Amino acid sequence: MTERLPSTGAPAAPDAPATPCRSDEVVLIHLVFRRLFGDAPGLVRDVAPGDVDRAAFLARHLLGLTEMLHTHHRAEDAFFWDRMAERAPACGLHVTAMRRQHEALSDELDVVDALVDDWKAEADVIAAEHLAVALDQVDRALAVHLDDEERDAFPVLDEVLSEVEWDEISAEVGRERPALPLFLLVGLIMDSLPESERDAWIARELPWPMRAAYRLVGRRSYERQLQRLRPAASSPKGSRPLA
Ligand SMILES: [Fe+2]
Ligand SMILES: [Fe+2]
């Protein structure tokens, strides 16, 4: 029997092992999505009407975020569902549910992208609210999807995919250049981990030049990016764990 991290929607058990299942690598990415999509509606609502510079900055962030979720789902569609349906036929309903949730989210992300374009030129308050409502909807649907995926799919995938296949998936995903700044993503993941596990995560997941770069300049770069993203926050959310 495998032990696993709790859903990213649930508090971590104090005695949870660091990386007991390969799908935990994906759970860490989910934490980043939960955090960034959770923040997004409020960031848009906080923009002063007519502040087109701030709107342009946030538009780039939001379009990067939607692209990153599309990329994440394309990878899951390519590597997970056919294999899960074939090797665990009793889980066919879960596979169908995952595919449908991805399709629905893809449509909702397209709506967000169009509303970002509508909003960024003038940063007017009505366009901002339309965009924020669409982001609220994505945040809710994504939370349901990530909970379902972590509960219904990942335990099965941990059983039916080999270590070699997980390594291939990691390598393939690692070749993609992320649509958001890498240090922002690394910093968010680091903040989601207990302090005692951070060095081990960096050693395992980052090639040495990136490790050195993160320690030298990446952490400060992350803090600056987070501050720019959330200037109104009195204490950066990055200083607390995500879960
Ligand atoms: Fe998914
Ligand atoms: Fe996922």
Side-chain angles (χ1 to χ4, degrees), residues 78-88 99 157 160-161 165-166 168-169:
F79 294 113
F80 286 171
W81 311 137
D82 284 349
R83 289 166 178 170
M84 181 167 155
E86 189 182 305
R87 299 173 193 180
R99 286 185 164 131
L157 289 163
V160 302
L161 296 182
E165 286 175 314
W166 279 110
E168 286 169 355
I169 294 166

Side-chain angles (χ1 to χ4, degrees), residues 30 72-73 76 81 98 102 145-146 149:
H30 285 185
H72 177 75
H73 284 171
E76 291 178 338
W81 311 137
M98 293 303 103
H102 280 194
H145 171 61
L146 299 180
E149 194 166 76

Side-chain angles (χ1 to χ4, degrees), residues 43-224:
L43 294 178
V44 171
R45 289 190 173 102
D46 284 348
V47 175
D51 186 349
V52 292
D53 290 341
R54 175 74 179 159
F57 165 73
L58 280 181
R60 285 193 298 278
H61 170 74
L62 292 170
L63 293 175
L65 183 56
T66 60
E67 177 54 33
M68 219 172 69
L69 186 54
H70 277 304
T71 301
H72 177 75
H73 284 171
R74 276 197 298 271
E76 291 178 338
D77 290 342
F79 294 113
F80 286 171
W81 311 137
D82 284 349
R83 289 166 178 170
M84 181 167 155
E86 189 182 305
R87 299 173 193 180
C91 300
L93 284 177
H94 293 321
V95 169
T96 301
M98 293 303 103
R99 286 185 164 131
R100 284 191 179 146
Q101 288 176 349
H102 280 194
E103 287 169 11
L105 275 161
S106 179
D107 291 344
E108 289 167 12
L109 292 175
D110 290 344
V111 170
V112 165
D113 286 352
L115 290 172
V116 166
D117 284 338
D118 289 347
W119 169 64
K120 70 180 179 186
E122 307 284 340
D124 76 86
V125 71
I126 293 173
E129 188 53 26
H130 285 155
L131 172 57
V133 167
L135 286 165
D136 280 331
Q137 169 57 28
V138 169
D139 184 40
R140 281 193 297 272
L142 183 62
V144 170
H145 171 61
L146 299 180
D147 284 349
D148 289 354
E149 194 166 76
E150 291 168 14
R151 185 191 61 239
D152 298 333
F154 285 178
V156 180
L157 289 163
D158 278 319
E159 296 292 336
V160 302
L161 296 182
S162 68
E163 283 295 311
V164 170
E165 286 175 314
W166 279 110
D167 288 344
E168 286 169 355
I169 294 166
S170 292
E172 188 67 29
V173 170
R175 273 191 280 275
E176 293 262 1
R177 185 187 171 90
L180 289 177
L182 184 61
F183 286 144
L184 175 66
L185 306 177
V186 171
L188 287 168
I189 288 174
M190 291 286 279
D191 281 347
S192 76
L193 293 169
E195 209 157 333
S196 59
E197 295 174 20
R198 292 176 186 174
D199 285 346
W201 183 86
I202 280 197
R204 192 173 60 245
E205 301 294 337
L206 298 184
W208 74 262
M210 186 61 68
R211 249 177 269 163
Y214 181 77
R215 290 191 169 115
L216 279 173
V217 297
R219 182 72 196 180
R220 264 181 297 171
S221 167
Y222 158 67
E223 287 167 356
R224 278 197 304 273

